[in-house]
Amino acid sequence: MRVFQNAEDLGNLAAALKEAAAVKKNRFQYQELGRNKTALLIFFNNSLRTRLSTQKAAMNLGMNVIVLDVNQGAWKLETERGVIMDGDKSEHLLEAIPVMGCYCDIIGVRSFATFESRRDDYEEKILNQFIRYSGRPVFFMESATVHPLQAFADLITIEEYKRKARPKVVLSWAPHPKALPQAVPNSFAQWMNAADVDFVITHPDGYELDPKFVGNARVEYNQMKAFEGADFIYAKNWSCPGVTRPEDYGKVLSKDMSWTVDAAHMAVTDNAYFMHCLPVRRGMIVTDDVIESPQSLVIPEAANREISATVVLKRMLESL
Ligand code: CP
């Protein structure tokens, strides 16, 4: 596997889930695979889970790990071609990327949407330059539009906790004070569409996700109706994807607190599990009682980030 961006990059998902279960039983069984190999993890944005779980995954596989926080200690990078670099940016990404590739075997990159241009974000301008110029396999650690390591961990968690063969899974928008990217809901939708689940997306008017991620999901604008009989509730905020009104891309259109997931919402489900990728704003996305309830899977979900990353790095090591 040279690139990990989308669900299809893993091939057969059922096989990938089986592999994840085997890795979870003995996460150190492939220590030889990564011996004398180096993973470089590049962060343009903050992280807790991705940083720790991916480092742990690389160590599980016997790899060496280098972590670079681009905005703390590296030269400030120019990303546009054709500019006169007379400002505060000392190095161009077009030199920095191949240099980074010299020091490692596999590269992971986190680079969020900037919301400056929908086209640039949805064309994955930064990550595609890493794919093109690094000369190394590249895995996405949350890009402008996708967060596949999270979605794979979410799928592993659903597989572990599901009580019926084809559970009802609901992705629900919830309020947040700041504009957040669409990467997590996009990937979650993509992966649920690829999995064997009854998938429903619910959000206020104007928050329609890009059709390429919505796929065959049912979209229900009445949140309570969407929650009825659900087995899993996946809450997440996202800013306006700009599908129906491109000029609203990246804006916060609503802070409607009636969309906060509380006990009344959970009461209409089929004793659903609550999921969120974290970090989460309590009182905005979800109430304390719901996230602290026995039905909350936020910690097992975060723990499975180590498993999803181990499988992905293992696949990349196997293809070197
Ligand atoms: N869920 C997730 O990616 O968490 P971090 O932003 O802390 O890495």
Side-chain angles (χ1 to χ4, degrees):
M1 188 167 60
R2 293 291 299 181
V3 173
F4 179 63
Q5 174 177 7
N6 297 306
E8 68 202 32
D9 296 328
L10 277 188
N12 183 304
L13 269 192
L17 285 169
K18 244 184 174 173
E19 195 173 324
V23 161
K24 195 164 181 172
K25 274 202 186 111
N26 179 4
R27 58 199 74 193
F28 304 112
Q29 62 187 299
Y30 300 103
Q31 279 269 320
E32 275 306 304
L33 201 55
R35 201 150 74 92
N36 293 335
K37 296 284 188 291
T38 300
L40 172 58
L41 311 183
I42 300 164
F43 289 89
F44 286 85
N45 308 93
N46 294 340
S47 168
L48 188 148
R49 278 143 292 272
T50 305
R51 176 188 298 269
L52 298 181
S53 63
T54 313
Q55 283 189 62
K56 177 65 166 64
M59 292 189 292
N60 290 347
L61 295 162
M63 300 184 81
N64 302 308
V65 190
I66 304 172
V67 180
L68 177 67
D69 287 296
V70 172
N71 298 322
Q72 288 166 22
W75 300 110
K76 203 164 181 188
L77 294 175
E78 177 59 64
T79 58
E80 296 296 323
R81 261 192 100 244
V83 296
I84 295 168
M85 289 172 58
D86 59 354
D88 62 343
K89 293 172 178 165
S90 309
E91 178 150 28
H92 203 286
L93 207 56
L94 290 175
E95 283 80 53
I97 291 174
V99 167
M100 293 177 197
C102 294
Y103 307 135
C104 66
D105 300 281
I106 295 173
I107 298 184
V109 184
R110 165 164 286 202
S111 177
F112 289 174
T114 61
F115 297 137
E116 283 164 20
S117 154
R118 186 183 197 281
R119 201 173 73 172
D120 285 356
D121 285 345
Y122 272 74
E123 283 179 359
E124 293 290 3
K125 201 172 162 186
I126 301 294
L127 264 292
N128 276 329
Q129 293 192 70
F130 276 91
I131 292 168
R132 193 160 169 199
Y133 299 116
S134 71
R136 302 293 174 210
V138 174
F139 63 99
F140 287 44
M141 299 197 299
E142 188 170 344
S143 68
T145 67
V146 290
H147 195 357
L149 286 170
Q150 181 65 51
F152 185 22
D154 295 333
L155 180 60
I156 293 167
T157 311
I158 289 170
E159 184 68 15
E160 288 173 343
Y161 284 84
K162 72 182 185 187
R163 296 163 301 204
K164 53 181 86 143
R166 196 163 186 275
K168 178 177 178 181
V169 178
V170 179
L171 167 62
S172 178
W173 181 92
H176 193 279
K178 288 164 61 177
L180 296 187
Q182 294 109 41
V184 169
N186 282 347
S187 276
F188 187 74
Q190 183 190 65
W191 286 67
M192 289 304 109
N193 277 314
D196 190 16
V197 301
D198 173 16
F199 183 46
V200 180
I201 305 174
T202 184
H203 55 71
D205 195 33
Y207 281 95
E208 291 77 15
L209 294 170
D210 192 291
K212 78 174 178 192
F213 294 108
V214 174
N216 295 324
R218 257 184 303 138
V219 177
E220 170 58 65
Y221 290 87
N222 182 326
Q223 190 192 27
M224 276 297 191
K225 206 168 155 203
F227 274 42
E228 283 171 9
D231 298 293
F232 293 89
I233 299 297
Y234 195 97
K236 185 73 185 83
N237 173 268
W238 61 89
S239 61
C240 175
V243 170
T244 49
R245 287 168 53 88
E247 63 274 26
D248 285 342
Y249 175 61
K251 287 186 185 164
V252 174
L253 303 178
S254 168
K255 291 182 186 170
D256 184 350
M257 300 290 280
S258 73
W259 283 74
T260 301
V261 178
D262 61 10
H265 284 81
M266 296 304 282
V268 304
T269 69
D270 187 6
N271 196 27
Y273 288 109
F274 174 82
M275 298 178 73
H276 188 281
C277 62
L278 304 179
V280 70
R281 298 230 183 188
R282 288 179 176 218
M284 295 289 304
I285 302 283
V286 60
T287 54
D288 289 337
D289 55 338
V290 170
I291 197 167
E292 290 171 8
S293 76
Q295 294 307 98
S296 173
L297 296 182
V298 295
I299 305 304
E301 199 181 339
N304 277 332
R305 289 293 307 275
E306 177 187 340
I307 307 306
S308 64
T310 306
V311 173
V312 167
L313 284 171
K314 171 181 169 287
R315 295 268 186 111
M316 288 196 147
L317 285 167
E318 286 166 344
S319 72
L320 286 179

